[in-house]
Amino acid sequence: MLEMIKEESEEDRFLNLQSPIDSQQFRVEGQQAIRLRLQVGDVLEIISVDGEQAAELIVLDMDGHAAPQLLDSRLPVTGDNIQQQLQETGTAAKALVKQFESWQIQAKDYQTVLRVEGDESSSFVAYADLTVVIVAAGPSMSIEAHTPPTELKVVVKYAEPIDEVLPEPLAEVKKEIRIPRASARTYEVKKGEWIQIIDVSGKQCSDFIVFDKQALEQGKEVGLDSTATRTVMGLSNPVPGLHSRFLGPDMMSMVEVVQDTVGRHDSFLFACTAKYYEDSGYFGHISCTENFNNVLKPYGIKPRAGWPAINLFFNTGIEPCGTVFMDEPWSRPGDYVLMRADKDLICASSACPDDIDPANGWIPTDIHVRIYGAEHHFPRSIAHRITAEEHPRMTKTSGFHNRTSALTKKFIEYAGYWVAAEYEGWGANAEYLACRERVAVLDLTPLRKIDITGPDAVAFLQYVLTQNVRRMAVGEIAHSAICLETGGMIDDGTIFRMADQAFRWFCGDSYTMVWMAEKAEEKGFKVSIRNATEQIHNLAVQGPNSRDLLSQIIWTSESQTSVEKLKWFHFTIGRLGGPDGVPLMVSRTGYTGELGYEVWCHPDAAEAVWDAIWQAGQAFDIAPMGFDALDMLRVEAGLSMAEYEFGPDVTPFEAGTGFSVPLSTKEEDFIGREALARENPESRHKLVGLILDGGESAAHGDLVYQGRFPVGIVTSAILSPLLGKQIAMIRVAPEFAKQDTKLEVGKLDGIQKRLGGTVVKLPFYDPKRARLLS
């Protein structure tokens, strides 16, 4: 009885403290749809991210009948964009058909839709409770066009603020468990079933404990072991992908992490304990450990003073000095972790009661758990966000994934996509050698593709890029940096001149498009900036035989340059196999330092393109290539990479890409010009090579020394197959950047261990670029 009174008292303390959610933001990606349920009085806003994507709204009453008048009195129209997309046979059309079927949307429902043009910013008020399906529909884009279907931003302002966000189920739910704030619950899960743990209000920790059910029935307590997990996985917390398992003390997998929209959890600390609250002066405060002891008692599990658990959504970290710190969770309303059971399990989850520090954002709330049957399949994915306020974006696969995944299971997440690290039966060294000696093919789809068109396209690009695009010819490519006002780099990439006022920018960071759009609006440029990434996927075909291979399979018209005659940093438009083949863009570019090309196509044509390259490549002993081999190639070639050689605190000159800043020949002002012009060439740090003396490796972030004090930093390092030595790219003070200078890389604490090396000029490989230009 005392225990019940104490728990009720805790509940009373938490009531009405959580800030209500009065609005929520959603995203509709190009050629996709979302479904929302609105209540009377809710306000719906539809905004095209680039100002050009139309929205089509299917409005249904509570009986599932089309009722556009419940949302707006304007005259409904036919859903032309929806119909255009559904008439196609590609992946996007099939996905939309499948989605409509699951929502029981029929053809008659999109004969009367509400349409919002891309240049409108429309607001609707729900006149009754209803369901609205918002579609960013449109036909697929050809490689030479500039009309990609793009994103919509959707905002719902609630007439009655809500306390939580419970996302739509990922599939049919087998069981749902609500865990009230300051409590814990147990539930059983069979092998192969899926566990989705949802933070419904945001900033709420949920401790997670599992036991092997079969072992428990035999009187053994075999639970999840965070120490075994960290030891085997080599990570502080498992993440979807290669290192995704939570292990037991026998180092066998118990659950696999499949999706994670947060990416910040704790596996080091106990679930909160009575001792923690007592030591803080809060006597009698309920704890997760006490709650676990109570709910696990029926299973015969012995109570503990502190439960080791996976503390989902708990934001902890370790300072360089070793101090463990904690702060408010990163999780937001509706964020979740999805796991799959590898054994029959007894699980326990808590909704942590901690209200004396930021662990739960100071206000404990509920946790929701969903169990899905083993018959379902959910793709592995990790969340990322382009801007802080948006909904998470989950990891995608490229149009080539069915082909690459048939050759390897070793995938890593890179820039929002799954990419192969290396291929089974080859390995990084063999893939590297294939590129240096024969030909290799690499999926480089994560590159961002941004179409920039309009009457001010040249003037705009002159302002935001360091490169002088005015001097470029149609069909030409140039490398450029994008800088802040300070001269620091936020991105780099290649700019393709497609026509007089039409360009295509290829870069690594999605935020670049957001930044570009902001600058265009600030200065009033008449320019269209559209994200074409989902409409253009690409392969790199690199190596001395790449020209011969591609010449066999790519047809070009008389008005286009053939692959054989294509010059370095130029592109052409062609077709696969002949004049009736799928359209392609081919550029003589790459990231390997070898003769090479990139082939660009629509994702629906990706498998046909891969197959043609792969089959023609057999005569050249072609190899697939992963990102591990690519890193070896680009370091030998002295090529810079974001977050390694450059970042917002590093200028292009310091990153080794000063050739993309033609200060003497570009007359127009551009962002960062003044800061770059102020730099004294004699005093700026320089990017150079370092060949280490022995076989021990350096690593990104290691400090470079001459004597007691550091004079630079290692940006990238590999074991070079070409040289048979450990090499590194380093950024050092100019006094120590001269060739043949002796320097040391600091290991351990930088003082106790040093690796000697000799400074050399970059690149390590083909210094005259003879192979690249051959």
Side-chain angles (χ1 to χ4, degrees):
M1 185 65 183
L2 286 175
E3 182 179 281
M4 184 181 299
I5 293 172
K6 179 172 64 175
E7 188 167 331
E8 287 176 353
S9 176
E10 288 291 326
E11 282 288 317
D12 291 342
R13 293 173 58 225
F14 301 141
L15 289 176
N16 302 318
L17 292 176
Q18 181 71 20
S19 299
I21 301 166
D22 54 14
S23 67
Q24 196 176 359
Q25 187 179 128
F26 302 89
R27 179 178 59 256
V28 189
E29 297 194 17
Q31 297 190 307
Q32 295 186 18
I34 64 169
R35 181 178 65 171
L36 300 174
R37 290 180 174 84
L38 304 182
Q39 293 187 322
V40 61
D42 289 348
V43 177
L44 177 70
E45 293 183 2
I46 310 289
I47 304 161
S48 169
V49 171
D50 57 23
E52 299 188 44
Q53 175 63 47
E56 292 181 343
L57 282 61
I58 303 169
V59 185
L60 305 173
D61 62 21
M62 298 309 292
D63 295 322
H65 301 132
Q69 70 278 4
L70 296 183
L71 195 59
D72 196 87
S73 58
R74 74 180 72 181
L75 189 66
V77 298
T78 303
D80 292 336
N81 281 359
I82 295 175
Q83 292 189 18
Q84 266 189 299
Q85 183 173 326
L86 293 178
Q87 287 169 4
E88 296 185 350
T89 58
T91 303
K94 292 176 182 177
L96 190 60
V97 168
K98 186 176 180 180
Q99 202 166 34
F100 278 6
E101 288 175 350
S102 69
W103 293 339
Q104 298 182 327
I105 302 294
Q106 301 175 26
K108 61 182 178 63
D109 296 324
Y110 48 83
Q111 297 306 311
T112 53
V113 303
L114 298 175
R115 182 179 173 87
V116 180
E117 299 299 337
D119 56 359
E120 296 181 61
S121 181
S122 291
S123 180
F124 305 90
V125 178
Y127 298 140
D129 294 353
L130 56 87
T131 297
V132 59
V133 175
I134 305 163
V135 192
S140 298
M141 185 186 80
S142 179
I143 193 70
E144 65 269 23
H146 302 281
T147 56
T150 51
E151 288 183 7
L152 300 170
K153 183 169 79 171
V154 177
V155 179
V156 177
K157 297 179 180 178
Y158 298 110
E160 296 290 336
I162 60 177
D163 295 323
E164 62 182 42
V165 173
L166 196 57
E168 280 216 22
L170 302 175
E172 183 180 353
V173 179
K174 183 175 182 179
K175 186 177 182 180
E176 303 208 32
I177 304 106
R178 175 53 67 113
I179 305 171
R181 65 191 82 189
S183 70
R185 297 289 185 270
T186 57
Y187 46 96
E188 298 188 17
V189 179
K190 293 182 179 179
K191 181 179 179 180
E193 292 183 338
W194 307 80
I195 310 160
Q196 184 187 23
I197 300 178
I198 306 166
D199 183 356
V200 294
S201 298
K203 300 183 184 298
Q204 173 61 46
C205 299
S206 178
D207 302 311
F208 179 61
I209 298 174
V210 300
F211 292 92
D212 183 327
K213 183 181 179 183
Q214 184 177 9
L216 205 57
E217 289 170 349
Q218 297 171 357
K220 303 174 186 176
E221 291 184 9
V222 179
L224 189 150
D225 190 307
S226 57
T227 303
T229 298
R230 292 193 300 269
T231 301
V232 175
M233 293 292 102
L235 293 168
S236 58
N237 282 289
V239 295
L242 287 177
H243 309 286
S244 61
R245 310 281 177 168
F246 280 118
L247 310 179
D250 56 359
M251 291 187 281
M252 301 297 289
S253 178
M254 301 193 76
V255 294
E256 178 186 4
V257 181
V258 178
Q259 294 182 7
D260 182 357
T261 68
V262 181
R264 184 78 166 185
H265 313 281
D266 172 73
S267 67
F268 288 89
L269 306 180
F270 277 149
C272 64
T273 64
K275 181 176 182 353
Y276 169 71
Y277 295 110
E278 290 168 359
D279 289 349
S280 300
Y282 293 87
F283 310 115
H285 195 295
I286 195 71
S287 69
C288 285
T289 290
E290 188 177 352
N291 286 333
F292 280 143
N293 286 337
N294 290 333
V295 299
L296 292 171
K297 194 180 302 181
Y299 293 95
I301 296 171
K302 298 175 183 177
R304 301 192 188 183
W307 271 105
I310 302 303
N311 305 311
L312 299 176
F313 316 127
F314 190 17
N315 175 14
T316 63
I318 301 176
E319 301 282 8
C321 63
T323 301
V324 177
F325 71 87
M326 54 85 68
D327 206 337
E328 292 185 4
W330 290 7
S331 55
R332 305 171 191 193
D335 273 338
Y336 66 85
V337 174
L338 178 70
M339 296 172 281
R340 190 169 197 178
D342 287 331
K343 297 180 177 182
D344 290 352
L345 300 173
I346 304 296
C347 303
S349 290
S350 75
C352 179
D354 188 352
D355 60 346
I356 67 171
D357 56 42
N360 296 306
W362 301 98
I363 305 168
T365 50
D366 293 358
I367 289 290
H368 196 88
V369 178
R370 285 174 173 154
I371 310 299
Y372 302 97
E375 69 275 12
H376 297 296
H377 172 74
F378 304 111
R380 294 180 176 90
S381 55
I382 304 169
H384 70 283
R385 289 179 169 90
I386 298 174
T387 59
E389 68 277 3
E390 72 173 12
H391 266 228
R393 299 171 186 265
M394 306 306 286
T395 319
K396 298 178 179 180
T397 57
S398 79
F400 307 104
H401 187 73
N402 285 342
R403 296 298 185 260
T404 56
S405 60
L407 300 174
T408 185
K409 298 295 183 288
K410 297 180 179 179
F411 284 86
I412 57 172
E413 192 273 346
Y414 175 74
Y417 282 83
W418 291 119
V419 296
E422 64 176 13
Y423 285 86
E424 295 157 14
W426 282 275
N429 274 0
E431 296 159 24
Y432 161 93
L433 290 170
C435 185
R436 285 279 183 252
E437 298 171 354
R438 306 184 306 276
V439 64
V441 58
L442 167 76
D443 183 359
L444 266 182
T445 295
L447 282 177
R448 272 32 183 189
K449 298 94 177 174
I450 301 171
D451 275 342
I452 300 157
T453 60
D456 290 344
V458 171
F460 170 70
L461 290 170
Q462 287 290 82
Y463 177 63
V464 296
L465 300 185
T466 61
Q467 189 57 263
N468 192 350
V469 300
R470 193 180 299 282
R471 300 180 66 136
M472 294 174 62
V474 173
E476 188 177 356
I477 305 167
H479 181 276
S480 183
I482 292 184
C483 292
L484 299 169
E485 288 77 1
T486 61
M489 292 175 64
I490 62 172
D491 207 350
D492 77 340
T494 49
I495 186 75
F496 289 47
R497 190 163 197 171
M498 310 291 290
D500 286 344
Q501 293 284 5
F503 295 81
R504 189 163 280 162
W505 168 246
F506 298 92
C507 62
D509 189 350
S510 295
Y511 182 72
T512 298
M513 180 179 163
V514 177
W515 182 86
M516 281 183 163
E518 290 174 349
K519 298 305 176 186
E521 185 175 2
E522 284 176 14
K523 294 294 184 178
F525 286 107
K526 295 178 181 178
V527 65
S528 167
I529 304 170
R530 309 200 73 186
N531 187 352
T533 304
E534 294 307 307
Q535 296 292 306
I536 305 173
H537 290 188
N538 60 298
L539 292 174
V541 182
Q542 304 281 301
N545 293 330
S546 57
R547 178 189 288 122
D548 293 339
L549 189 163
L550 292 177
S551 296
Q552 295 180 12
I553 62 173
I554 293 175
W555 174 90
T556 53
S557 68
E558 292 180 356
S559 63
Q560 293 285 340
T561 307
S562 66
V563 171
E564 297 97 317
K565 296 181 179 179
L566 195 60
K567 295 181 179 180
W568 186 54
F569 260 55
H570 285 73
F571 70 91
T572 189
I573 304 295
R575 289 183 177 267
L576 183 65
D580 297 324
V582 297
L584 305 170
M585 185 171 71
V586 181
S587 61
R588 191 170 162 187
T589 50
Y591 198 45
T592 63
E594 285 291 343
L595 169 68
Y597 300 81
E598 289 176 85
V599 182
W600 316 79
C601 66
H602 189 275
D604 287 343
E607 292 182 8
V609 172
W610 175 280
D611 291 344
I613 292 172
W614 189 252
Q615 289 166 15
Q618 297 308 307
F620 301 98
D621 195 15
I622 193 172
M625 186 164 71
F627 270 51
D628 288 352
L630 179 65
D631 200 45
M632 297 159 66
L633 293 158
R634 69 102 187 163
V635 172
E636 284 186 349
L639 300 174
S640 298
M641 185 174 180
E643 298 182 10
Y644 286 81
E645 279 67 49
F646 72 81
D649 58 342
V650 178
T651 71
F653 296 110
E654 296 170 325
T657 57
F659 60 86
S660 66
V661 189
L663 290 173
S664 60
T665 59
K666 182 175 179 178
E667 297 177 355
E668 292 97 330
D669 188 24
F670 60 86
I671 298 173
R673 180 183 187 119
E674 185 178 339
L676 293 172
R678 282 199 308 266
E679 274 193 333
N680 184 343
E682 299 301 320
S683 62
R684 68 168 71 109
H685 281 55
K686 302 185 185 305
L687 191 71
V688 296
L690 186 73
I691 298 179
L692 278 72
D693 296 336
E696 293 188 79
S697 60
H700 169 71
D702 287 345
L703 294 179
V704 177
Y705 292 79
Q706 191 175 74
R708 174 75 180 183
F709 300 105
V711 297
I713 192 169
V714 173
T715 60
S716 296
I718 61 160
L719 172 61
S720 168
L722 172 74
L723 301 175
K725 295 182 179 181
Q726 298 284 348
I727 63 174
M729 295 166 70
I730 61 174
R731 186 167 56 250
V732 294
E735 295 83 359
F736 306 97
K738 294 178 182 178
Q739 192 168 357
D740 298 325
T741 301
K742 297 294 184 181
L743 296 174
E744 294 178 317
V745 175
K747 303 299 288 186
L748 302 179
D749 62 354
I751 303 298
Q752 297 184 59
K753 183 176 181 180
R754 298 281 182 87
L755 307 178
T758 304
V759 172
V760 297
K761 292 182 179 179
L762 290 174
F764 298 98
Y765 176 73
D766 190 21
K768 295 183 179 180
R769 308 288 191 189
R771 294 172 67 92
L772 186 68
L773 300 172
S774 62

